[in-house]
Structure formats: structure tokens, C-alpha cells
Amino acid sequence: MTAFDADHPRQTLSEVARTTGLTRATARRFLHTLVELGYVDTAGSAFWLTPRVLDLGYSYLSAMPLTDLAQPHLERLSAQLDESSSIAVLDGHDIVYVGRVQVRRIMNIGITIGTRFPAFATSMGRVLLAALPPEELDAHLAATDLRVLTPHGIGEPAGLRAELAAVADRGWALVDQELEPGLRSLAAPVRDRHGRVVAALNVSTHAARYSIDQLRDELVPVVVDAARALSADLATVNR
């Protein structure tokens, strides 16, 4: 199912096989199974996802107390700062957005629940990576393509490791236009009742609205407090 995206919403069997690296026979078998289950539809030689795939994401989100607990905190944070706020978890080499409050801004980047971005290039991703045990972080970085996405990016392992160490030490991350030019974001960790980092909470803004110094002085304390408040709520949940 991940072979289908915004750029490739409809694909032929050959295209799916090429995208996934599967043989045509295997791709055909999987596609027809998904058709039978109602997750994929087909006409002629084309295949596409159906709205039923949203049920999979809903099942995941509905089983997470984190998402329900996070929403009021995100809404308060966005109302207080008049900026978009989000919460994400680490999934492989990416972060996945599981909560979001969007404010109306003219930005090129579109983010919804389920959006994925490379963890190393995002503030939430760096908070989550900074919390990994050393051996897990080593394995993650060894298997990650650290190709920078903008001229502002950190694309070499030593520089990224130094930044992650700083994030772990200070308890928050700030990313300046590394995901998209003009986009700045900062994030803080969300912890469960055992003190483990299970998610990251952030706000994002346009570079024209806040300088780096303003972000550090004015927004960091607010975001850190919001993440701590959510962590306190999460600590009351028996899991």
C-alpha cells in the first residue's frame, strides 16, 4: 500500500512491482488480495487505494491514549502562540504525525495525520533520536540516508551526533530551515510514566515571524512546558 502516494495515486501492476521491488507475480497476488479485502480498487490495468485504508490508521490512533490526551494540549499551544503544533512518534527512519493543529499560514509544506518525514531533518525526529540508546542510535544512523534536503541541513554523521547530544542535554531541539526553506520548528520530548520518551511535541513557524534568538527565548519555554504537561497526563494512564 505504501507504493501509492500523492505523486503516484494510480499505478499499473508493472509500476507497483517496480516501486516495491517485487516480482510481477508477487505484486499481482498482493494487489488482488488487497482488492478482495477492499483496500484497493481496480479498473482495466490501473490500481488505486480506497478510503478503507483510513480504517487502518484510525485503529492505530484509537488504541493510543497519547493522541486523545495530546489534542487539548496542541490546541492550547496553537492558540497561545498562533502557530501550528504537532505530535509525532518514531517509525523506522521517519517520524509519523499522530496529532496536529494547523493554523492558517502561507507555507509550501503540507502536513496531515500520517505524514512522514526523515527523522534526522526534523525537530521532533531529533528529540526522538536523541533519546535512543547508543547502540540503537548507531544502527539507525548507519542505515539512514543523511542526504540534506536544503542548504541548511546537517548531512554528515559527526555533526548530527553532536547536535543530538546537545538536544539530549538541553531537552529540546530547534531546526532552522533544514526540512524546507523558510520553515523553523522546535520540539520537546513527551515521556510516559516510566520516564521513557515516547513522542515529541513541536511548533513550527515561518522564519520571517521569529528569529532564532526569539524562538529560544520566547517559544522554547512554552513548548517545553506543554510537553511536560502532556507527559504528566500520560503518566496517569496505566499501560
Side-chain angles (χ1 to χ4, degrees), residues 57 133 162 207 211:
S211 69

Side-chain angles (χ1 to χ4, degrees), residues 79-103:
Q80 181 177 357
L81 299 177
D82 193 27
E83 300 290 353
S84 297
S85 62
S86 308
I87 188 167
V89 297
L90 189 65
D91 182 31
H93 302 299
D94 300 330
I95 59 165
V96 179
Y97 283 71
V98 297
R100 172 99 169 147
V101 173
Q102 178 79 45
V103 298

Side-chain angles (χ1 to χ4, degrees), residues 18-237:
R18 183 166 57 252
T19 301
T20 60
L22 300 171
T23 66
R24 281 175 53 87
T26 301
R28 180 185 297 108
R29 186 165 62 252
F30 286 160
L31 283 170
H32 284 296
T33 298
L34 291 171
V35 169
E36 288 295 322
L37 293 173
Y39 296 116
V40 170
D41 206 349
T42 182
S45 62
F47 294 86
W48 62 90
L49 297 179
T50 72
R52 189 170 184 181
V53 300
L54 297 175
D55 292 345
L56 300 175
Y58 178 78
S59 297
Y60 171 73
L61 291 174
S62 63
M64 291 181 65
L66 173 65
T67 56
D68 289 337
L69 292 172
Q71 195 62 27
H73 292 276
L74 296 178
E75 291 172 359
R76 282 194 294 270
L77 186 59
S78 287
Q80 181 177 357
L81 299 177
D82 193 27
E83 300 290 353
S84 297
S85 62
S86 308
I87 188 167
V89 297
L90 189 65
D91 182 31
H93 302 299
D94 300 330
I95 59 165
V96 179
Y97 283 71
V98 297
R100 172 99 169 147
V101 173
Q102 178 79 45
V103 298
R104 294 185 180 276
R105 291 274 185 270
I106 301 175
M107 295 291 293
N108 293 329
I109 195 165
I111 300 172
T112 59
I113 303 301
T115 293
R116 307 173 73 94
F117 289 122
F120 78 93
T122 65
S123 60
M124 289 191 286
R126 289 185 182 171
V127 163
L128 294 166
L129 292 177
L132 291 178
E135 62 277 7
E136 288 187 32
L137 179 60
D138 289 343
H140 180 98
L141 295 181
T144 299
D145 180 2
L146 298 180
R147 185 177 358 180
V148 296
L149 305 177
T150 76
H152 300 271
I154 301 175
E156 48 93 20
L160 183 58
R161 285 180 181 276
E163 176 60 20
L164 293 177
V167 169
D169 183 60
R170 66 181 177 240
W172 51 269
L174 194 160
V175 168
D176 180 20
Q177 307 180 76
E178 294 188 43
L179 185 63
E180 178 177 301
L183 180 68
R184 286 174 174 158
S185 68
L186 59 93
V190 175
R191 301 178 184 273
D192 65 12
R193 65 191 182 99
H194 302 291
R196 297 172 300 205
V197 176
V198 294
L201 179 150
N202 93 332
V203 295
S204 55
T205 185
H206 196 280
R209 283 177 56 80
Y210 290 95
S211 69
I212 295 296
D213 287 342
Q214 286 177 311
L215 286 174
R216 290 194 183 105
D217 295 341
E218 300 174 22
L219 268 66
V220 164
V222 179
V223 173
V224 169
D225 284 348
R228 286 174 177 165
L230 175 54
S231 298
D233 284 353
L234 195 60
T236 66
V237 178

